[in-house]
């Protein structure tokens, strides 16, 4: 394959970063961007000018995505910033989340679509509260790969001891995590460029790859669930034309597993069974489909199927229940979560009403301690609740499938998104 | 075991199609903002794929400044005919005639900002509750904070500090009467992704995107094409150059770049080597640091 069309073979890695200005995160992202040519001259010129106007000593890379006037005026990042860069091997989407205001809401949002969490630890300070908080949220949101960058190695004389100390601290704390299966430690200096793109000559004791190589090569393909076939119906295609008179196609994005032409399937909630007659991707017929492809499925028998229904396999069905047990992250600053609260639930392509039947406990994201006997959740609280839905929800545990195990709660009056939930 | 991996373009395509279908399902009367530029052409191509073999289940909306490159309109009409969709045109001239928009005066006058007025009037007249736009987060810094489903109040205003969080594949399009949404299926695409996708999908694009000889003038660092809307001023001397456009917008503020790229492979190679963003040639973004944010708050795309 020539250099020219190597993009035909590129894949995609979504990762999340978190932290405040002084831990070197901006410097790190700036270096990745600079070294992969993701920053352009007019952008650099514009932020150089702004940095100078603001009296910053260094070029402040946050200005690249802190595009809102309020953000620039206050020198803070308000929201998750999505940043993009690519190497010939991979395209990267970084969900860069601010470490202060509404940190839980932003970290949870950023982590919800990420495959990897990049966690920065200052080699001088070791594991601190923010490290634990970010790790806990990454784990809660089902991220399997964590890359811990032990930064500012230049300030500790590039000593292996300093690296080992942080590694031990972190490993000790990470033994309690549920989902993280792949933990990688890389000693770096974002400022000096050690172990970012090229292997550092200052740390010959480190035998692993530099960060960019790790990000380019880490295998995330097996993170998707290719076992439990789930197809939430999103939209029904009925052309109403002479050419496609009897055409009825069920469109959606495969939420898990693999579907093949000829497979026996069951439709929920009706319970009817039939076979897959055809799978279409655009106007092209394909033999099989898997997560996260968007396709259209045609069935052999005429069965009533509509948005919110789910196509599954008869011998592997999701849980069907009106009583749900979930971890909930509460986002709203204007409304409190209390027992008996009524909301709208969005789960896959389905919408239902719910009532909070029990608030079980809240987790202190800094100490990871459970706090029971609480009245409710305030903004940024995370904890375990039980809820009752107005109709059965077809679901899996979040741990087994992120797509069929996640939901959001919406305020029936203001239509705001109030909370994110993960089913247990 | 079988290889169940998708390339980055396949993943972006699947995500965009999901968003397009979600828009059709969650809204009563969506419209697709179609300018004849490459992003809206790619979005329209994805919409055709999303609902095949049925027709695209919503109309296309063109907010027409009247300052078009003739090639754009030709391309638009051909595309509409081929796909059998309805076209709604909201003309900035009509807003000016009605007195709801006032033409800018002065040396850098442009109808770009007036598009917001016409867009909001069109949304109201046609009762559109969602407008699909080809905006991408990599384009401009105010867009970097934009949601896939972006809520607008009854005045068409964007409140960037109070956006709904978007998690997983769950999009909240609920709204009160009079409010509407802007939806951006290409949010996660970069300029490069758009060109690469156009190449692998064989998408036809207006010839303005490829090299051609044209009379241009250098104004405030932008190479503007000489046309019935842009004429040289006293101190400006038009030159014939080999140019192409990286973005296509209003003819009065879309700058050309010097280029010999004659096909998509050349363009991809050129973009890969380029050190300036595509909007670097847009005079409308150069007005001030928050130019885009201010226009978006007022209802811009």
């Amino acid at each position: 394959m020539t250099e020219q069309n190597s993009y035909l073979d590129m894949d995609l890695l979504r990762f999340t970063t978190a932290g405040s200005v002084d831990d070197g995160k901006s410097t790190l992202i700036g270096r990745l961007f600079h070294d992969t040519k993701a920053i352009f001259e007019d952008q650099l010129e514009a932020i150089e000018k702004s940095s100078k106007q603001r009296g910053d000593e260094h070029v402040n890379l946050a200005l690249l995505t802190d595009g809102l006037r309020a953000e620039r005026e206050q020198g803070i990042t308000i929201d998750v910033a999505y940043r993009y860069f690519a190497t010939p091997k991979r395209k990267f989407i970084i969900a860069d989340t601010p470490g202060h205001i509404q940190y839980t809401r932003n970290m949870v949002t950023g982590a919800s679509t990420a495959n990897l969490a990049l966690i920065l630890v200052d080699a001088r300070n070791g594991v601190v509260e923010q490290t634990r908080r970010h790790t806990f949220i990454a784990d809660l949101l089902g991220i399997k790969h964590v890359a811990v960058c032990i930064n500012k190695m230049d300030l500790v004389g590039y000593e292996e001891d300093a690296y080992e100390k942080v590694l031990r601290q972190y490993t000790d704390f990470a033994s309690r995590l549920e989902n993280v299966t792949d933990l990688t430690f890389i000693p770096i200096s974002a400022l000096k460029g050690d172990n970012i793109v090229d292997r550092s000559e200052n740390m010959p004791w480190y035998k692993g790859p530099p960060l960019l190589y790790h990000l380019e090569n880490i295998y995330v393909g097996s993170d998707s669930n290719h076992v439990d076939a789930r197809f939430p119906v999103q939209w029904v295609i009925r052309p109403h034309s002479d050419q496609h008179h009897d055409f009825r196609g069920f469109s959606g994005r495969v939420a898990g597993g693999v579907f093949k032409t000829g497979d026996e399937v069951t439709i929920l909630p009706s319970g009817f069974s039939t076979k897959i007659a055809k799978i279409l991707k655009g106007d092209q017929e394909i033999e099989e489909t898997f997560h996260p492809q968007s396709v259209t499925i045609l069935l052999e028998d005429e069965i009533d199927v509509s948005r919110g229904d789910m196509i599954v396999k008869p011998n592997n069905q999701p849980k069907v229940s009106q009583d749900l047990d979930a971890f909930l992250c509460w986002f709203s600053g204007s409304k409190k979560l209390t027992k008996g609260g009524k909301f709208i639930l969005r789960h896959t392509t389905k919408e239902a009403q719910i009532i909070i039947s029990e608030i079980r406990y809240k987790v202190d994201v800094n100490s990871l301690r459970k706090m029971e006997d609480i009245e409710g959740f305030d903004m940024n609280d995370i904890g375990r609740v039980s809820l009752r839905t107005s109709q059965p929800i077809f679901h899996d545990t979040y741990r087994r499938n992120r797509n069929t195990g996640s939901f959001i709660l919406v305020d029936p009056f203001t239509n705001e998104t109030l909370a994110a939930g993960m089913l247990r | 075991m079988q290889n169940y991996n998708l390339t980055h373009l396949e993943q972006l395509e699947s995500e965009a199609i999901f968003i397009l279908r979600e828009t059709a399902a969650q809204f009563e009367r969506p419209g697709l903002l179609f300018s004849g530029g490459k992003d809206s052409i790619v979005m329209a191509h994805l919409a055709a794929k999303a609902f095949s073999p049925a027709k695209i289940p919503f109309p296309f909306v063109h907010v027409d400044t009247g300052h078009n490159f003739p090639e754009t309109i030709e391309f638009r009409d051909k595309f509409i005919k081929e796909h059998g969709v309805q076209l709604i045109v909201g003309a900035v001239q009509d807003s000016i005639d009605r007195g709801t928009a006032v033409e800018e005066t002065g040396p850098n006058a442009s109808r770009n900002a007036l598009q917001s007025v016409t867009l909001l009037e069109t949304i109201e007249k046609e009762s559109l509750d969602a407008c699909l736009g080809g905006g991408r987060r990599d384009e401009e810094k105010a867009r970097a904070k934009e949601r896939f489903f972006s809520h607008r109040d009854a005045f068409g205003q964007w409140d960037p500090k109070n956006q709904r969080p978007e998690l997983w594949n769950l999009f909240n399009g609920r709204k009160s009467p009079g409010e509407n949404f802007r939806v951006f299926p290409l949010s996660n695409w970069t300029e490069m992704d758009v060109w690469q996708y156009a190449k692998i999908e064989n998408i036809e694009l207006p010839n303005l995107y490829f090299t051609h000889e044209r009379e241009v003038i250098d104004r405030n660092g932008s190479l503007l094409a000489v046309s019935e809307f842009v004429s040289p001023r006293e101190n400006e001397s038009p030159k014939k150059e080999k140019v192409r456009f990286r973005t296509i917008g209003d003819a009065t503020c879309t700058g050309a770049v010097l280029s010999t790229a004659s096909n998509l492979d050349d363009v991809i190679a050129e973009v890969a080597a380029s050190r300036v963003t595509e909007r670097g040639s847009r005079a409308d973004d150069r007005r001030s640091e928050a130019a885009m944010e201010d226009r978006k708050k007022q209802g811009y795309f």
Side-chain angles (χ1 to χ4, degrees), chain A residues 229-247:
Chain A
R230 306 282 185 261
F231 188 80
V233 175
Q234 195 186 2
W235 175 261
V236 181
I237 295 182
R238 306 199 64 173
H240 300 292
S241 66
D242 292 341
Q243 198 192 340
H244 302 285
H245 194 70
D246 295 320
F247 186 101

Short mmCIF file of all heavy atoms in Angstrom, two decimals, chain A residues 229-247:
data_model
loop_
_atom_site.label_atom_id
_atom_site.label_comp_id
_atom_site.label_asym_id
_atom_site.label_seq_id
_atom_site.Cartn_x
_atom_site.Cartn_y
_atom_site.Cartn_z
N ALA A 229 -25.78 -10.75 20.60
CA ALA A 229 -26.34 -10.01 19.46
C ALA A 229 -27.52 -9.15 19.90
O ALA A 229 -28.50 -9.64 20.46
CB ALA A 229 -26.78 -10.99 18.38
N ARG A 230 -27.37 -7.84 19.69
CA ARG A 230 -28.42 -6.88 20.09
C ARG A 230 -28.58 -5.84 18.99
O ARG A 230 -27.61 -5.20 18.60
CB ARG A 230 -28.01 -6.12 21.37
CG ARG A 230 -27.62 -6.99 22.56
CD ARG A 230 -28.84 -7.55 23.27
NE ARG A 230 -28.46 -8.28 24.46
CZ ARG A 230 -28.36 -9.61 24.52
NH1 ARG A 230 -28.60 -10.36 23.46
NH2 ARG A 230 -28.02 -10.20 25.65
N PHE A 231 -29.81 -5.65 18.54
CA PHE A 231 -30.06 -4.66 17.49
C PHE A 231 -31.29 -3.83 17.85
O PHE A 231 -32.42 -4.21 17.56
CB PHE A 231 -30.26 -5.37 16.14
CG PHE A 231 -30.33 -4.43 14.96
CD1 PHE A 231 -29.18 -3.92 14.40
CD2 PHE A 231 -31.56 -4.07 14.39
CE1 PHE A 231 -29.23 -3.05 13.31
CE2 PHE A 231 -31.62 -3.20 13.31
CZ PHE A 231 -30.46 -2.69 12.76
N PRO A 232 -31.07 -2.68 18.50
CA PRO A 232 -32.20 -1.80 18.83
C PRO A 232 -32.70 -1.13 17.54
O PRO A 232 -31.91 -0.52 16.83
CB PRO A 232 -31.59 -0.76 19.77
CG PRO A 232 -30.20 -1.24 20.10
CD PRO A 232 -29.79 -2.13 18.99
N VAL A 233 -33.97 -1.28 17.25
CA VAL A 233 -34.51 -0.71 16.01
C VAL A 233 -34.65 0.80 16.17
O VAL A 233 -35.26 1.29 17.13
CB VAL A 233 -35.86 -1.36 15.65
CG1 VAL A 233 -36.48 -0.69 14.43
CG2 VAL A 233 -35.66 -2.85 15.40
N GLN A 234 -34.06 1.51 15.22
CA GLN A 234 -34.01 2.96 15.30
C GLN A 234 -35.05 3.62 14.41
O GLN A 234 -35.65 4.64 14.76
CB GLN A 234 -32.59 3.39 14.87
CG GLN A 234 -32.21 4.80 15.23
CD GLN A 234 -30.87 5.19 14.63
OE1 GLN A 234 -30.24 4.42 13.92
NE2 GLN A 234 -30.44 6.39 14.92
N TRP A 235 -35.28 3.02 13.26
CA TRP A 235 -36.10 3.66 12.23
C TRP A 235 -36.57 2.58 11.27
O TRP A 235 -35.81 1.67 10.94
CB TRP A 235 -35.25 4.70 11.50
CG TRP A 235 -35.87 5.39 10.34
CD1 TRP A 235 -35.69 5.08 9.01
CD2 TRP A 235 -36.76 6.51 10.35
NE1 TRP A 235 -36.40 5.94 8.22
CE2 TRP A 235 -37.06 6.82 9.01
CE3 TRP A 235 -37.33 7.28 11.38
CZ2 TRP A 235 -37.91 7.88 8.67
CZ3 TRP A 235 -38.16 8.32 11.03
CH2 TRP A 235 -38.45 8.62 9.69
N VAL A 236 -37.83 2.66 10.83
CA VAL A 236 -38.34 1.66 9.88
C VAL A 236 -38.38 2.28 8.50
O VAL A 236 -38.94 3.36 8.31
CB VAL A 236 -39.75 1.18 10.30
CG1 VAL A 236 -40.26 0.12 9.32
CG2 VAL A 236 -39.72 0.62 11.72
N ILE A 237 -37.75 1.61 7.55
CA ILE A 237 -37.72 2.12 6.17
C ILE A 237 -38.83 1.47 5.34
O ILE A 237 -38.88 0.25 5.18
CB ILE A 237 -36.34 1.86 5.50
CG1 ILE A 237 -35.25 2.65 6.23
CG2 ILE A 237 -36.38 2.23 4.03
CD1 ILE A 237 -33.87 2.52 5.64
N ARG A 238 -39.75 2.31 4.86
CA ARG A 238 -40.81 1.85 3.97
C ARG A 238 -40.86 2.82 2.80
O ARG A 238 -41.38 3.91 2.92
CB ARG A 238 -42.16 1.86 4.69
CG ARG A 238 -42.14 1.08 5.99
CD ARG A 238 -43.54 0.73 6.44
NE ARG A 238 -44.19 -0.17 5.49
CZ ARG A 238 -45.37 -0.72 5.71
NH1 ARG A 238 -46.03 -0.47 6.80
NH2 ARG A 238 -45.90 -1.53 4.80
N PRO A 239 -40.31 2.42 1.65
CA PRO A 239 -40.15 3.38 0.56
C PRO A 239 -41.45 3.87 -0.08
O PRO A 239 -41.46 4.92 -0.69
CB PRO A 239 -39.31 2.61 -0.47
CG PRO A 239 -38.71 1.48 0.29
CD PRO A 239 -39.67 1.15 1.38
N HIS A 240 -42.56 3.11 0.01
CA HIS A 240 -43.79 3.51 -0.65
C HIS A 240 -43.57 3.81 -2.13
O HIS A 240 -44.06 4.81 -2.64
CB HIS A 240 -44.41 4.76 0.02
CG HIS A 240 -44.75 4.54 1.45
ND1 HIS A 240 -45.75 3.70 1.87
CD2 HIS A 240 -44.20 5.05 2.59
CE1 HIS A 240 -45.81 3.69 3.18
NE2 HIS A 240 -44.87 4.49 3.64
N SER A 241 -42.78 3.02 -2.80
CA SER A 241 -42.58 3.24 -4.23
C SER A 241 -42.92 1.94 -4.96
O SER A 241 -42.94 0.87 -4.36
CB SER A 241 -41.13 3.64 -4.51
OG SER A 241 -40.27 2.56 -4.21
N ASP A 242 -43.21 2.06 -6.26
CA ASP A 242 -43.57 0.88 -7.04
C ASP A 242 -42.44 -0.12 -7.07
O ASP A 242 -42.63 -1.33 -6.97
CB ASP A 242 -43.92 1.30 -8.48
CG ASP A 242 -45.21 2.11 -8.48
OD1 ASP A 242 -45.95 2.03 -7.48
OD2 ASP A 242 -45.45 2.84 -9.46
N GLN A 243 -41.23 0.42 -7.16
CA GLN A 243 -40.06 -0.44 -7.29
C GLN A 243 -39.83 -1.27 -6.02
O GLN A 243 -39.40 -2.40 -6.08
CB GLN A 243 -38.84 0.44 -7.57
CG GLN A 243 -37.66 -0.33 -8.14
CD GLN A 243 -36.40 0.54 -8.10
OE1 GLN A 243 -36.48 1.77 -8.01
NE2 GLN A 243 -35.25 -0.11 -8.16
N HIS A 244 -40.10 -0.67 -4.86
CA HIS A 244 -39.85 -1.37 -3.59
C HIS A 244 -41.17 -1.49 -2.83
O HIS A 244 -41.26 -1.12 -1.67
CB HIS A 244 -38.84 -0.59 -2.75
CG HIS A 244 -37.55 -0.37 -3.43
ND1 HIS A 244 -36.60 -1.36 -3.58
CD2 HIS A 244 -37.02 0.73 -4.03
CE1 HIS A 244 -35.55 -0.88 -4.22
NE2 HIS A 244 -35.79 0.39 -4.51
N HIS A 245 -42.15 -2.04 -3.48
CA HIS A 245 -43.49 -2.02 -2.94
C HIS A 245 -43.61 -2.65 -1.56
O HIS A 245 -44.19 -2.06 -0.64
CB HIS A 245 -44.45 -2.69 -3.92
CG HIS A 245 -45.87 -2.43 -3.58
ND1 HIS A 245 -46.42 -1.18 -3.74
CD2 HIS A 245 -46.82 -3.21 -3.05
CE1 HIS A 245 -47.68 -1.21 -3.33
NE2 HIS A 245 -47.94 -2.44 -2.91
N ASP A 246 -43.06 -3.85 -1.40
CA ASP A 246 -43.25 -4.56 -0.13
C ASP A 246 -42.05 -4.42 0.81
O ASP A 246 -41.94 -5.14 1.79
CB ASP A 246 -43.51 -6.05 -0.39
CG ASP A 246 -44.81 -6.23 -1.13
OD1 ASP A 246 -45.78 -5.52 -0.79
OD2 ASP A 246 -44.86 -7.05 -2.06
N PHE A 247 -41.17 -3.49 0.50
CA PHE A 247 -39.95 -3.36 1.28
C PHE A 247 -40.24 -2.85 2.69
O PHE A 247 -40.89 -1.83 2.89
CB PHE A 247 -39.00 -2.38 0.57
CG PHE A 247 -37.63 -2.27 1.20
CD1 PHE A 247 -36.55 -2.94 0.66
CD2 PHE A 247 -37.43 -1.48 2.32
CE1 PHE A 247 -35.28 -2.83 1.22
CE2 PHE A 247 -36.18 -1.37 2.91
CZ PHE A 247 -35.10 -2.04 2.36
#
